[in-house]
Amino acid sequence: MIKEQKFKIIDSTNNEAQRQLQTENPPKEDFVIRAEFQTDGRGQRGNTWQAQNAANLTFSYVFFPLQMQVKNQFQISQAAALSVVEFLKKNSIENVSIKWPNDIYVGMKKICGMLIENSVSGHYIKSSIIGIGINVNQSLFRENLPNPVSMTNITGKFYNLDEKFYEVVSILRQRLSLLKEGDFAALKEEYMSNLLGLNRTLIYSSSGTIFKGVIKDVDQRGYITIFNENTLSESKYAFNEVNLIIPEQKKNVQ
């Protein structure tokens, strides 16, 4: 069983993982930092991750790849995203997809966010901190969150967090172990089949321009190719260079 450390309250599970990796005798095997509440939970693009105390799953899985080159680091993101997709589907959540690069959506609402931070040495990844936040039992959200949803919002059920934590970590651990076999083609195929917006017209913004676009590909480095229906041309974007515009929708707020 993977080593787990659980905190009732902490600044950020990713921060704690970083601190432990920077000690004189850092861990050398995969481990997990879990928290009931984060005072400074972090998301992508410098955003904060807001979650109700002891209502959701917030944890960081620290992964030590075996000779994984830096150029393949996006495969960690793919494996993590697909792990949460598999977990949700096993819990009877339908219409689950991956919003590039690794947010997890149900319909057009966000149920999970991730922050992945890699440490590298030369051409190889030394360690990867995979921070994951899944909305589980929280039913009300702050007004400034654009499109949140939780498992309990969808199913009406209340979940045992310990049980669901071990379930999703088991799936994640198995998928990460497969990365060591290097079958990236199968990983990409599954990732693309679960991608929100693949071969579907949605609205995007880039450099102040709003356009109708269709996702055509995501390459090995994580760059996304979108066909612009306004200009009838394809463009490749790095992370933060293009954003999906989410339609306004009714929310449960507090």
Side-chain angles (χ1 to χ4, degrees), residues 66-127:
L66 181 64
Q67 294 293 299
M68 174 176 278
Q69 295 188 38
V70 173
K71 68 179 183 180
N72 294 324
Q73 63 185 307
F74 184 63
Q75 278 65 49
I76 297 174
S77 179
Q78 289 178 313
L82 287 168
S83 297
V84 177
V85 168
E86 180 180 342
F87 163 75
L88 292 171
K89 289 181 177 180
K90 284 186 173 180
N91 282 276
S92 303
I93 307 293
E94 300 179 352
N95 199 19
V96 182
S97 61
I98 302 167
K99 175 181 168 287
W100 176 81
N102 54 26
D103 282 340
I104 310 302
Y105 273 50
V106 177
M108 294 299 281
K109 293 191 174 185
K110 182 176 177 177
I111 196 168
C112 171
M114 298 188 191
L115 176 63
I116 299 176
E117 299 176 300
N118 296 318
S119 174
V120 304
S121 176
H123 296 294
Y124 295 94
I125 298 172
K126 288 172 51 181
S127 63

Side-chain angles (χ1 to χ4, degrees), residues 214-226:
V214 180
I215 295 174
K216 292 301 181 182
D217 188 35
V218 178
D219 69 16
Q220 178 179 321
R221 298 175 299 162
Y223 286 67
I224 192 168
T225 298
I226 300 177

Side-chain angles (χ1 to χ4, degrees), residues 35-38 49-58 134-135 137-142 145 158 161 254:
E36 291 186 4
F37 183 72
Q38 299 181 111
W49 178 261
Q50 299 173 345
Q52 182 180 323
N53 185 23
N56 305 301
L57 291 177
T58 50
I134 305 173
N135 297 331
N137 290 325
Q138 185 166 345
S139 58
L140 297 174
F141 296 87
R142 295 181 183 177
L145 298 179
F158 186 84
L161 289 179
Q254 59 185 15

Side-chain angles (χ1 to χ4, degrees), residues 16-49:
E16 177 60 22
Q18 290 277 19
R19 287 191 287 267
Q20 295 196 22
L21 289 174
Q22 292 168 6
T23 60
E24 286 187 9
N25 297 299
K28 293 180 173 56
E29 295 183 350
D30 294 5
F31 65 97
V32 182
I33 304 292
R34 178 185 175 194
E36 291 186 4
F37 183 72
Q38 299 181 111
T39 59
D40 188 27
R42 295 185 290 126
Q44 296 175 357
R45 303 183 180 92
N47 295 328
T48 57
W49 178 261

Side-chain angles (χ1 to χ4, degrees), residues 184-201:
F184 298 149
L187 183 69
K188 176 180 177 177
E189 183 178 357
E190 187 178 3
Y191 177 86
M192 295 300 295
S193 70
N194 284 281
L195 191 63
L196 176 64
L198 180 69
N199 298 322
R200 171 186 171 192
T201 300

